[in-house]
Amino acid sequence: MKQLPMNLQYFAGEKTEKATPQKKKEARKKGQVAKTAELSSAIIFLLSFLLFYLSGPYLSKHILNIYRKFFNQYLLYDVTIDNIRPLFLGILSDLIWAILPIFAITLIGGLTGNLMQIGFMFISEPLKIKLDRLNPLEGAKRIFSKRALVDLLKSIFKIIVVGYTTYAVLWDNREKLLSLYQFDLNGIVSIIGKLMLEIGLKSSVLFIVLSIFDYVYQRYDYEKNLRMSKQEIKEEFKKSEGDPLIKGKIKERQRQMAMSRMMQAIPEADVVITNPTHFAVAISYKPNEMEAPKVVAKGMDYLALKIKEVAKEHDIAIVENKWLARSLYYQLEIDDFIPTELYQAVAEVLAYVYRIKGVAKVK
């Protein structure tokens, strides 16, 4: 059976590559990050029960004081225009001090869960109004999507976990529960409160474990949804680095402009030092303006030939010095001043040129 040749171009559009840092950065700006709401909820759940466990006597005492004050004082007040405001503020103050620790724990737990997953992030993109969210077809797709099914399974699993934890704790303490009739009201409340704390702490620990697994899944799903095709990676590279063809043309244009400026500076030179065919370096020196002679143009092979042609057109002296020409070419760039170790050799060349021209510029 003859095997058909495989054309890899057919697979160029498949999203098989990991997302680039740029793609992840753009997704983060839109609020698309790998996170699970279960972790924040589990941390809040755990911290809340720890709060009840550590400060239970204080909270219970404070709540009992509110009840006593309410029935012994507030109900006996005459409701008048003068005392309605102090009465309201007193009740509100007592309630705030009772629930403030719970609010603080909730805030700390929510911030901790989000910072652990995505760090600090403030964006406004998810707050923008998008009319496509009102599309019933899109809503139906979200309801019957894979993510919705996973969320449903998670909810069912959490119910099973809480139910089993509650059953296990109650079964282990069944003797206490059957003997509750022997205790007074305070004893009954104490036993039930301890059982609820035990159930809450064990359930919250299990929730944290489940949320970690859920975060791993959300991370996998996030990476999967951000996958890119080879063509998308190429397009992103072109946008970030520039099209290689355009980039090459820009560099070529820059080289041409630099060469043009260099050729325009050659007529200002005093001498062109050559080796004689491969290298050419044009030197300019103006005693009143420069602290030392400087290189205004340099070139090798074809460019060296062009420098010499321009020098001949403007009647600039051309001096052959193989060692000096090579040293100047490799050690200096255009507009660099002659260094100390080459200054003597260049000064001798300039003195020779000025002597020939009959202009004593170097003393």
Side-chain angles (χ1 to χ4, degrees):
M1 181 178 180
K2 185 178 180 180
Q3 187 175 6
L4 296 176
M6 181 178 294
N7 190 349
L8 296 179
Q9 293 296 326
Y10 294 148
F11 302 94
E14 292 188 3
K15 298 182 182 297
T16 57
E17 307 300 317
K18 291 184 177 180
T20 60
Q22 180 64 25
K23 179 69 176 292
K24 292 181 179 180
K25 184 178 179 181
E26 293 177 355
R28 184 180 177 86
K29 290 181 179 179
K30 298 177 181 178
Q32 299 175 5
V33 291
K35 62 167 293 189
T36 172
E38 306 297 332
L39 182 59
S40 298
S41 301
I43 293 176
I44 293 172
F45 201 52
L46 177 62
L47 292 179
S48 299
F49 279 99
L50 284 175
L51 174 67
F52 295 144
Y53 178 77
L54 297 175
S55 61
Y58 165 77
L59 291 176
S60 60
K61 182 178 179 181
H62 191 77
I63 293 173
L64 287 175
N65 288 334
I66 292 175
Y67 274 102
R68 291 193 185 101
K69 187 182 294 186
F70 185 81
F71 287 104
N72 294 331
Q73 297 181 21
Y74 295 152
L75 290 181
L76 301 178
Y77 281 2
D78 292 330
V79 181
T80 63
I81 297 176
D82 295 331
N83 65 12
I84 188 65
R85 186 172 182 272
L87 178 64
F88 175 76
L89 291 178
I91 297 174
L92 183 62
S93 176
D94 292 337
L95 291 176
I96 287 176
W97 284 109
I99 62 178
L100 185 61
I102 301 175
F103 281 160
I105 286 295
T106 303
L107 178 62
I108 293 172
L111 291 175
T112 302
N114 283 281
L115 290 175
M116 288 174 61
Q117 298 180 81
I118 60 176
F120 180 78
M121 184 176 67
F122 179 79
I123 54 175
S124 60
E125 181 69 22
L127 301 178
K128 294 181 179 178
I129 299 176
K130 296 181 179 179
L131 297 178
D132 57 346
R133 294 178 180 175
L134 302 177
N135 189 343
L137 295 178
E138 294 295 330
K141 289 181 180 179
R142 287 193 294 267
I143 293 174
F144 299 101
S145 63
K146 179 182 177 181
R147 180 180 293 272
L149 178 61
V150 172
D151 291 339
L152 176 62
L153 294 177
K154 286 191 300 183
S155 300
I156 294 174
F157 192 69
K158 284 194 295 184
I159 294 173
I160 294 173
V161 168
V162 174
Y164 177 77
T165 304
T166 304
Y167 167 77
V169 172
L170 295 178
W171 181 257
D172 292 338
N173 295 273
R174 59 186 181 277
E175 294 180 358
K176 290 183 180 180
L177 292 172
L178 293 175
S179 61
L180 284 177
Y181 66 91
Q182 301 176 359
F183 298 91
D184 58 7
L185 182 60
N186 289 333
I188 294 174
V189 171
S190 177
I191 293 174
I192 295 177
K194 289 179 180 179
L195 291 178
M196 291 180 63
L197 283 176
E198 185 178 355
I199 293 171
L201 289 173
K202 289 183 178 180
S203 298
S204 59
V205 171
L206 291 175
F207 281 166
I208 288 180
V209 175
L210 293 176
S211 65
I212 292 174
F213 283 104
D214 184 52
Y215 175 74
V216 173
Y217 169 76
Q218 296 294 341
R219 190 80 186 179
Y220 163 77
D221 189 58
Y222 170 77
E223 296 287 347
K224 182 180 178 181
N225 291 331
L226 284 185
R227 283 179 184 174
M228 305 171 66
S229 64
K230 291 183 172 62
Q231 185 62 31
E232 287 176 338
I233 294 178
K234 290 180 180 179
E235 294 296 331
E236 182 183 288
F237 177 78
K238 288 181 180 180
K239 290 180 180 179
S240 59
E241 300 294 333
D243 193 325
L245 296 177
I246 297 177
K247 199 172 181 180
K249 291 180 180 180
I250 292 174
K251 288 185 176 180
E252 180 64 25
R253 181 60 178 170
Q254 290 173 344
R255 284 194 295 267
Q256 291 176 359
M257 293 174 65
M259 185 182 298
S260 177
R261 287 194 300 269
M262 185 178 69
M263 291 300 178
Q264 292 175 3
I266 293 175
E268 300 176 2
D270 293 292
V271 63
V272 174
I273 303 174
T274 66
N275 79 330
T277 56
H278 294 293
F279 300 95
V281 180
I283 304 295
S284 175
Y285 180 53
K286 295 179 176 57
N288 297 330
E289 302 177 7
M290 301 178 183
E291 58 184 16
K294 74 173 182 179
V295 176
V296 296
K298 72 172 190 175
M300 185 174 64
D301 296 333
Y302 174 76
L303 191 54
L305 180 61
K306 295 292 294 182
I307 291 174
K308 287 187 288 186
E309 290 179 356
V310 175
K312 290 178 181 179
E313 292 176 1
H314 293 83
D315 196 23
I316 296 172
I318 299 176
V319 178
E320 180 181 336
N321 188 322
K322 296 180 180 179
W323 168 82
L324 184 57
R326 293 177 64 89
S327 299
L328 292 171
Y329 182 85
Y330 285 113
Q331 295 185 28
L332 302 177
E333 297 296 332
I334 296 174
D335 291 334
D336 284 352
F337 289 102
I338 303 300
T340 306
E341 61 270 17
L342 298 176
Y343 188 84
Q344 182 64 32
V346 174
E348 291 177 358
V349 173
L350 289 173
Y352 170 74
V353 172
Y354 296 151
R355 189 167 55 250
I356 293 177
K357 293 183 176 182
V359 182
K361 290 187 178 181
V362 177
K363 298 182 180 180

